[in-house]
Amino acid sequence: MREVMTKSMARNIFYGGSLFFIIIFLGLSAQSHLYIRNVSTNEATLTDSVKKGKRIWEEKACINCHTLMGEGAYFAPELVNVMTRWGIDPEDHTGAMESLKAWMDAMPTGIEGRRQMPQFNLSDEEYQNLADFLLWADTIDAQDWPPNDAG
Ligand code: HEC
């Protein structure tokens, strides 16, 4: 006897297969979501200062020149790992602020032939917020992305 697939068998394969892949899709989505919230960005470390710093980062459009994890413009250095490159201890919020302030207060350098960063005239509190944001960004586990060691 010849094996024939009945209509209902075909329908069951279609629905069963669809359901199977929908479940895999939902499972992977949930896994990514939990991973981002709890492992890679560590939501618990998002302080008010970090949030304010992110707002300043957006308002001043730092991304128009810089990248953060490879996203942004390629005019100026990648900043997600700037605190590591500067050798700042992740717990040293004051040191991070002082280094960032010293750097940003000295801008623009006016050195001919060198790309210039504008002067933003920020307050000490804004420097602290930005420094905390950059320190926090530095803790994101981006699985070593971007591959960047520029100093
Ligand atoms: C108009 C372009 C521009 C904008 C906007 C800009 N920067 Fe920069 N930034 C630069 C350039 C160019 C350099 C490198 C200057 C140099 O090395 O002399 C730089 C360097 C830096 C550095 C040092 C990087 C390192 O690797 O040592 C930090 C930190 C920094 N910028 C932070 C910021 C922050 C925070 C903002 C937003 C408030 C910002 N920048 C906005 C152009 C810009």
Side-chain angles (χ1 to χ4, degrees), residues 93-106:
H93 295 264
T94 309
M97 181 275 195
E98 281 164 1
S99 302
L100 185 66
K101 179 175 152 82
W103 169 269
M104 290 183 71
D105 276 353

Side-chain angles (χ1 to χ4, degrees), residues 12 17 24 43 65 81 109 114 150:
N12 286 345
I24 288 183
E43 200 179 13
C65 294
N81 48 11
T109 59
R114 195 175 167 101

Side-chain angles (χ1 to χ4, degrees), residues 56-66 75-79 81-83 85-86 99-100 103-104 107-109 111 114-118 120 122 127 130-131 133-134 148 150-151:
I56 298 166
W57 170 266
E58 288 165 355
E59 281 163 4
K60 304 293 180 196
C62 312
I63 208 98
N64 280 358
C65 294
H66 291 277
F75 181 72
E78 165 66 49
L79 290 185
N81 48 11
V82 67
M83 291 297 166
R85 281 192 280 111
W86 282 358
S99 302
L100 185 66
W103 169 269
M104 290 183 71
M107 297 293 114
T109 59
I111 300 169
R114 195 175 167 101
R115 294 179 187 188
Q116 298 300 317
M117 168 152 145
F120 290 95
L122 302 181
Y127 282 131
L130 261 181
F133 171 64
L134 289 173
N148 164 294

